[in-house]
């Protein structure tokens, strides 16, 4: 019983997901014979260590979009370099729109990093100078894809977290009712219970949203015995 409980804890599930994602990412990049496969593993770690599936999906999306934008802008800069333009001038001009993009949407800052690698880091070997941005985008795709694949196969079981948050709301409201009947003038304790209930309700909404993302693997049941997704509006 204790062993089953330990192996089902969210911490151990995230631990296993991180290790498996890194292995999948590494060997997929190696199978694709990518020269800098460590970028795939780095991307996997960034995505898979997110605390929820929603955040992992958003982070994976931003990593891919940032890498694509940085790669495209870097390839445009390489055209200028091949025609004799100085590296630093090309980099400075190309960095301006990407820096503005990162300021507007910090989640896309990987575009700036990709630009640095494409334009400023010397390419090894005698291959095409345009191979590096293509390889970089492929590495990001593999890294994010591996992390999301394992996240779907080994979800956080958000439906269980939703049940826990619903229980916290009910307990907090019960304490609040008891406090109001026994000590109606204890405003500080009442405010604390209100905050606890509000925080648990927000966490419940987030857990139900994530459970909806996980429903392919862990369906949200809609029977009388498990209607946790109906608890939040009812308690509100």
């Amino acid at each position: 019983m204790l062993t089953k409980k330990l192996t089902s804890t969210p911490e151990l599930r995230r631990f296993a997901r991180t290790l498996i994602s890194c292995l999948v990412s590494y060997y997929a990049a190696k199978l694709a014979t990518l020269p800098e496969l460590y970028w795939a593993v780095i991307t996997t770690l960034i995505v898979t260590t997110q605390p929820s599936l929603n955040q992992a999906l958003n982070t994976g999306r931003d990593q891919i979009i940032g890498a694509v934008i940085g790669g495209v802008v870097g390839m445009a800069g390489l055209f200028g370099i091949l025609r004799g333009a100085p590296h630093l001038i090309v980099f400075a001009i190309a960095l301006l729109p990407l820096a503005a993009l990162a300021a507007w949407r910090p989640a896309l800052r990987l575009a700036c990093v990709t630009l640095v690698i494409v334009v400023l880091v010397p390419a090894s070997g005698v291959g095409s100078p345009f191979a590096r941005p293509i390889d970089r985008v492929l590495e990001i795709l593999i890294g994010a894809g591996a992390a999301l694949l394992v996240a779907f196969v080994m979800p956080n079981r958000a439906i269980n977290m939703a049940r826990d948050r619903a229980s916290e709301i009910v307990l907090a409201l019960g304490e609040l009712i008891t406090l109001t009947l026994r000590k109606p003038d204890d405003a500080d304790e009442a405010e604390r219970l209100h905050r606890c209930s509000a925080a648990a309700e927000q966490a419940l909404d987030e857990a139900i949203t994530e459970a909806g993302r996980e429903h392919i693997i862990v369906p949200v049941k809609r029977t009388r015995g498990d209607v946790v997704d109906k608890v939040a509006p009812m308690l509100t």
Side-chain angles (χ1 to χ4, degrees):
M1 184 75 175
L2 180 60
T3 304
K4 182 179 180 181
K5 184 177 180 180
L6 287 174
T7 55
S8 63
T9 58
E11 292 79 10
L12 287 181
R13 186 177 294 275
R14 285 194 293 269
F15 173 72
R17 218 171 32 234
T18 300
L19 294 182
I20 296 173
S21 297
C22 287
L23 288 174
V24 172
S25 175
Y26 176 83
Y27 284 107
K30 189 173 183 180
L31 185 64
T33 64
L34 294 172
E36 298 174 338
L37 52 82
Y38 54 85
W39 281 111
V41 180
I42 291 174
T43 304
T44 297
L45 287 171
I46 293 173
V47 176
T48 197
T49 52
Q50 300 300 313
S52 71
L53 181 59
N54 286 336
Q55 290 171 298
L57 288 170
N58 292 335
T59 302
R61 177 202 62 201
D62 293 336
Q63 292 286 303
I64 293 171
I65 294 175
V68 170
I69 293 175
V72 170
V73 175
M75 290 179 71
L78 289 177
F79 277 110
I81 293 173
L82 292 176
R83 284 170 171 76
H87 282 69
L88 288 179
I89 293 179
V90 170
F91 174 73
I93 295 174
L95 182 62
L96 288 176
L98 297 187
L101 178 66
W104 175 55
R105 287 193 60 180
L108 299 179
R109 58 187 175 273
L110 186 64
C112 297
V113 178
T114 304
L115 177 68
V116 172
I117 295 171
V118 172
V119 175
L120 295 184
V121 178
S124 59
V126 293
S128 170
F130 300 103
R132 168 162 285 180
I134 295 174
D135 289 340
R136 179 64 198 279
V137 171
L138 289 176
E139 289 153 5
I140 297 297
L141 286 172
I142 289 176
L148 295 178
L149 174 64
V150 176
F152 273 110
V153 175
M154 301 176 63
N156 286 327
R157 306 281 178 171
I159 195 66
N160 293 334
M161 291 185 282
R163 296 190 190 103
D164 292 340
R165 300 296 83 77
S167 175
E168 290 177 11
I169 296 173
V170 173
L171 292 175
L173 291 178
E175 291 182 33
L176 184 60
I177 292 171
T178 302
L179 178 69
T180 303
L181 293 175
R182 293 181 179 178
K183 299 179 181 179
D185 297 329
D186 194 347
D188 292 339
E189 180 64 13
E191 179 62 24
R192 184 189 71 80
L193 291 171
H194 272 300
R195 289 196 300 268
C196 291
S197 177
E201 185 176 344
Q202 181 179 356
L204 173 61
D205 289 338
E206 294 172 355
I208 290 174
T209 300
E210 184 174 353
R213 294 284 184 96
E214 294 179 354
H215 76 282
I216 297 174
I217 306 298
V218 187
V220 178
K221 298 179 182 178
R222 302 191 181 277
T223 64
R224 294 182 61 185
D226 192 351
V227 289
V228 69
D229 57 321
K230 303 299 182 184
V231 170
M234 180 187 69
L235 293 178
T236 300

